[in-house]
Amino acid sequence: MRFYLILFFCICCLAPVIAQYCPPLSGKLGETKRFNITAGYGITQLYGDVHENNAVGSSGTITVDYQIKKGLLIGIESQFGSLITEITNSSNAMQSHNDYLAGGFRVLMHPFSFFSKKSYLRSFKDVILESLYVGVGSLYIINHYDYIYHNPADYSTYGMVEDYDNSGLPIFKDRTRTLILPSMNLGAVLPLNNQLTSNGPALSLVINSQFNMGQNDVLDGYTPYSINGNPSKSANDFYNFYSLGLRYSF
């Protein structure tokens, strides 16, 4: 909810600014900004074995994209932040704090820009439409659990078992790895400076929603075991990442 309030505020503030001019998103007429560097920050929401999780984490991101054709970009992405699970309105003791680091690649497409034959944007509506993008990619995450609740007597609170101590009690892993496939993006790149009157770099506000599907069940640190001591079959974990960023294009 907080992210959408910030998003609404930014759009309201930017609308009268953008409405005064309609620059091409890739630079002056006939000019192409090939390289795009974006730094952003936002909130994460993790979905896993802790049902009705109402905690949010936070994460920063840095991306580098190369425009291979108008409206089509390829790039690399990094993330560094936290994924948190916690139920504050119940007696469920299960909670975890995952400090994660991720890297990967992505492909972005601005569909209205890619298929448009206009040499420049003539209206505020054009700016908004051509700013919209969709994307798909993959991330590889290194998870480090700063805190996680385990009860050796309760198999539902188990995580990945690394070894057993002299008493036969499990020693749980505090580091795991997860492949994210796919990582899907939906967002907008809103220009902040007028590229019709400037030969310099372009600055843009980037609003992004990302949906990340894990290929295992360890993102939240929980992997339930059956009563015979073997991992139970359960759904893979996933998380959403909502961010605001600043893009520098040159």
Side-chain angles (χ1 to χ4, degrees):
M1 183 64 182
R2 287 178 295 179
F3 175 79
Y4 292 107
L5 289 175
I6 295 172
L7 171 61
F8 177 76
F9 176 76
C10 290
I11 292 177
C12 288
C13 291
L14 286 171
V17 176
I18 298 176
Q20 296 178 22
Y21 64 92
C22 298
L25 294 179
S26 58
K28 296 184 72 174
L29 301 185
E31 179 188 13
T32 298
K33 306 291 188 184
R34 291 292 185 185
F35 294 95
N36 304 271
I37 302 174
T38 305
Y41 188 79
I43 61 173
T44 59
Q45 181 79 51
L46 177 60
Y47 301 90
D49 297 285
V50 181
H51 303 296
E52 299 181 359
N53 174 36
N54 50 23
V56 295
S58 62
S59 183
T61 180
I62 296 176
T63 63
V64 179
D65 298 299
Y66 178 77
Q67 183 172 228
I68 58 178
K69 188 177 181 180
K70 189 182 80 145
L72 184 63
L73 301 90
I74 59 173
I76 56 176
E77 175 181 4
S78 66
Q79 287 182 26
F80 38 89
S82 61
L83 297 170
I84 301 175
T85 60
E86 184 178 356
I87 304 177
T88 58
N89 57 356
S90 79
S91 59
N92 191 337
M94 292 174 64
Q95 57 180 289
S96 64
H97 187 151
N98 173 12
D99 292 321
Y100 77 97
L101 179 65
F105 70 93
R106 65 182 191 168
V107 178
L108 298 182
M109 183 180 186
H110 295 258
F112 291 98
S113 176
F114 184 81
F115 294 106
S116 174
K117 300 190 181 299
K118 297 179 181 179
S119 59
Y120 67 98
L121 308 181
R122 299 179 180 277
S123 68
F124 177 61
K125 177 183 177 181
D126 290 339
V127 173
I128 295 299
L129 288 178
E130 294 208 12
S131 74
L132 300 177
Y133 66 82
V134 293
V136 65
S138 179
L139 293 169
Y140 188 73
I141 295 183
I142 299 175
N143 309 298
H144 174 226
Y145 306 104
D146 181 58
Y147 171 80
I148 185 168
Y149 170 83
H150 290 303
N151 181 356
D154 185 355
Y155 287 109
S156 68
T157 69
Y158 271 37
M160 295 294 292
V161 176
E162 184 171 25
D163 203 350
Y164 291 88
D165 63 18
N166 295 332
S167 302
L169 296 177
I171 300 173
F172 300 103
K173 290 183 178 181
D174 62 2
R175 291 181 183 272
T176 61
R177 299 170 186 269
T178 300
L179 174 65
I180 299 294
L181 185 68
S183 173
M184 298 178 290
N185 293 275
L186 176 65
V189 179
L190 301 173
L192 296 177
N193 61 340
N194 190 342
Q195 287 299 297
L196 286 176
T197 59
S198 172
N199 289 316
L203 293 177
S204 307
L205 177 70
V206 179
I207 303 167
N208 191 67
S209 298
Q210 187 180 76
F211 311 95
N212 299 291
M213 305 298 297
Q215 292 302 301
N216 58 24
D217 185 32
V218 302
L219 270 179
D220 61 358
Y222 289 106
T223 307
Y225 276 57
S226 62
I227 57 175
N228 59 9
N230 295 320
S232 301
K233 186 177 181 180
S234 55
N236 294 339
D237 298 336
F238 65 97
Y239 75 96
N240 297 338
F241 177 37
Y242 308 100
S243 65
L244 292 174
L246 187 65
R247 171 176 289 184
Y248 179 88
S249 304
F250 59 97

